[in-house]
Amino acid sequence: MNDYVIIPDVTCDLPKELRERFGIVDYVRSHLNLPDGTDIPSDLEWGYSNPTDFYKMMKNKKNVFSTSTPTPEDFIACWEKFLKEGKDIISVTISSALSGSYGFSCKAKEMLDKKYPERRIVCIDSLRYSTAFGVICCYAGEKRLNGATFDEVVSWINENKNCFHQMGPMEDLYFLARKGRINNFKAFMGTLVGVKPCGDFNNDGMTTVLYKPKGQEATYNFCIEYIRKTIIKPEEQYIFISNTARKEQAEELSRRIKEAFNPKEVFVVDVQPACGINVGPGLYAAYYYGNKIEDDMAYEKQVVSEITKQ
């Protein structure tokens, strides 16, 4: 009997059908602040809007959205019902390099350890965000459904989280600039001339831009070749493709991935508001399991060099 649950936070960007399929029974919500100052719960159900309208509102840069990190009390509110049922908890959160969620989850654990000393709570920093973080939870959930123990799943996540890659472009750099992740001049010039920065995760839980192809076809080709050189056993994998108002491009990337790699299954999902407000419209990227990313990303940079010299 599997007497434990895997609970991510809202930034995992997993829609209901995938949470149900992989046994993700719940997630920790946060809060979304609308342009008019209204504060509403930030969840994974698109109750406030829909992807098309939400990112259209964001495209009008006068509309400023913000989110707040889940508090220890938010984690406790989500977890406690499972602890009362006698279940242990594996908590997985967005990269600590981008959010305070991991730290708050640890504080919630400290509080609940005293109240439920017979239960186990393990907090894991995914070192990933959005769909990459969600992919980790899906694989972990599948292992749980197939009979893996609590300790086996915890060990697997910690040993493999730096094997999950991202590859795809960010077309509108304004929102990255607003969050201080690229300077405004570079954002303006990059968007103006059609530069599409493509990046992968580093071991600190951030994204490192590796190449800036120009044009749609060049971007697709670069992404496929990068995936080809970094993925492991694609035919055994679930590959996820997320997008922010780039469904057509995400579907095309999905088609090319299926043609090139014949993976077990490809899922195309929307980035939800909790992550979307930091990215803005214009992202479509694939998330997959590959070689473990090195501290200096030497191999990934070598791959880019090989591709661009072809």
Side-chain angles (χ1 to χ4, degrees):
M1 180 178 179
N2 291 318
D3 56 348
Y4 66 95
V5 292
I6 300 165
I7 303 181
D9 68 41
V10 68
T11 59
C12 67
D13 286 334
L14 292 175
K16 184 177 181 181
E17 60 270 23
L18 291 180
R19 298 197 307 273
E20 291 178 346
R21 173 170 174 172
F22 291 100
I24 307 299
V25 295
D26 206 348
Y27 60 94
V28 178
R29 284 120 176 111
S30 63
H31 305 274
L32 176 66
N33 190 264
L34 306 181
D36 64 4
T38 304
D39 183 87
I40 63 172
S42 180
D43 58 31
L44 294 172
E45 310 308 331
W46 283 108
Y48 160 68
S49 184
N50 61 69
T52 300
D53 291 342
F54 178 77
Y55 288 110
K56 186 180 295 184
M57 283 187 286
M58 284 198 71
K59 194 70 175 176
N60 179 349
K61 297 176 174 65
K62 293 180 181 179
N63 291 325
V64 178
F65 294 82
S66 64
T67 59
S68 58
T69 304
T71 64
E73 290 72 25
D74 291 324
F75 282 95
I76 290 170
C78 178
W79 295 351
E80 196 160 22
K81 57 181 173 290
F82 298 104
L83 297 172
K84 290 178 178 177
E85 293 173 357
K87 292 181 172 63
D88 297 330
I89 292 173
I90 299 174
S91 167
V92 192
T93 54
I94 187 174
S95 171
S96 59
L98 300 172
S99 169
S101 289
Y102 173 69
F104 285 141
S105 73
C106 292
K107 289 182 180 179
K109 166 184 161 55
E110 291 176 8
M111 297 165 70
L112 289 172
D113 280 345
K114 297 174 182 178
K115 190 172 181 180
Y116 300 93
E118 73 284 3
R119 298 268 58 85
R120 297 179 67 191
I121 303 172
V122 170
C123 299
I124 300 176
D125 176 359
S126 73
L127 296 178
R128 296 293 181 268
Y129 59 80
S130 186
T131 310
F133 161 32
V135 177
I136 293 172
C137 293
C138 288
Y139 275 104
E142 184 171 66
K143 289 181 179 298
R144 173 189 168 276
L145 292 172
N146 288 336
T149 67
F150 183 98
D151 290 319
E152 287 171 340
V153 170
V154 169
S155 294
W156 182 88
I157 295 174
N158 284 323
E159 290 169 5
N160 289 277
K161 59 189 179 182
N162 276 329
C163 294
F164 285 88
H165 291 252
Q166 166 186 278
M167 182 43 60
M170 178 66 245
E171 293 183 349
D172 187 341
L173 303 181
Y174 167 83
F175 298 92
L176 295 179
R178 194 174 70 186
K179 296 297 180 179
R181 296 173 186 174
I182 186 173
N183 71 51
N184 283 293
F185 177 75
K186 287 182 179 179
F188 173 73
M189 292 303 296
T191 302
L192 182 66
V193 299
V195 171
K196 301 176 187 291
C198 292
D200 200 352
F201 295 110
N202 58 41
N203 279 348
D204 295 326
M206 300 283 283
T207 296
T208 296
V209 173
L210 295 172
Y211 187 57
K212 302 174 183 178
K214 293 183 180 180
Q216 194 68 70
E217 190 64 21
T219 301
Y220 288 136
N221 290 339
F222 174 77
C223 291
I224 293 297
E225 290 309 308
Y226 184 88
I227 294 170
R228 191 187 309 280
K229 291 177 179 291
T230 55
I231 198 169
I232 294 175
K233 296 181 179 179
E235 68 280 358
E236 299 178 7
Q237 286 202 40
Y238 301 114
I239 297 178
F240 287 61
I241 300 173
S242 66
N243 78 99
T244 60
R246 291 297 182 274
K247 197 63 168 280
E248 181 180 340
Q249 292 89 336
E251 294 286 359
E252 176 60 17
L253 183 57
S254 171
R255 184 190 69 77
R256 294 184 185 220
I257 285 173
K258 291 175 182 177
E259 184 178 90
F261 307 114
N262 191 30
K264 183 188 297 186
E265 201 162 352
V266 179
F267 304 104
V268 176
V269 301
D270 296 304
V271 176
Q272 302 283 333
C275 281
I277 67 158
N278 297 307
V279 176
L283 169 75
Y284 55 100
Y287 300 88
Y288 58 95
Y289 184 90
N291 61 283
K292 182 165 283 191
I293 296 171
E294 301 176 8
D295 289 341
D296 59 0
M297 300 190 77
Y299 178 71
E300 289 71 29
K301 293 173 184 176
Q302 177 187 331
V303 164
V304 173
S305 178
E306 292 172 359
I307 295 171
T308 55
K309 286 178 181 178
Q310 291 177 357

